[in-house]
Amino acid sequence: MSATQIREELKDYIKSGDVRLLKILHSVAKEYNSEDYTKPGEPMKVSTLKSRIREAKSRIKAGQFTSQEDLEVEMEKW
């Protein structure tokens, strides 16, 4: 799908979306635009990335995550 097609589809979602969808899209766009890829430092090593992924999977298996329902409740407070 091209960027133009994605933009058009997003416009349709925005036009028909409820407040919850609009808040989600707004939050994602705002965070995306605020990311600073020019920060000094070394790129993450592949071994570090793999380690972090393993740790994250372990946390998920242990039930240490936020459920969709809890996230929706939290988002209402934003």
Side-chain angles (χ1 to χ4, degrees):
M1 186 179 281
S2 72
T4 302
Q5 291 170 317
I6 294 170
R7 281 186 187 97
E8 290 303 315
E9 194 168 327
L10 281 171
K11 286 179 188 176
D12 292 339
Y13 287 131
I14 290 168
K15 286 180 186 176
S16 63
D18 61 3
V19 172
R20 185 175 140 245
L21 174 64
L22 295 175
K23 285 182 178 182
I24 291 168
L25 292 173
H26 179 257
S27 178
V28 169
K30 188 174 176 181
E31 182 64 27
Y32 177 82
N33 284 326
S34 69
E35 290 181 13
D36 183 2
Y37 295 108
T38 61
K39 293 180 181 178
E42 295 293 319
M44 185 182 301
K45 295 179 183 176
V46 173
S47 60
T48 302
L49 177 60
K50 288 181 179 180
S51 174
R52 290 177 69 175
I53 291 170
R54 280 191 299 273
E55 291 169 7
K57 286 182 177 181
S58 293
R59 287 192 304 273
I60 291 169
K61 285 182 183 177
Q64 298 172 342
F65 58 87
T66 301
S67 70
Q68 180 70 30
E69 294 80 18
D70 289 344
L71 181 59
E72 289 174 3
V73 169
E74 181 181 333
M75 286 173 27
E76 289 298 321
K77 298 176 185 175
W78 293 353

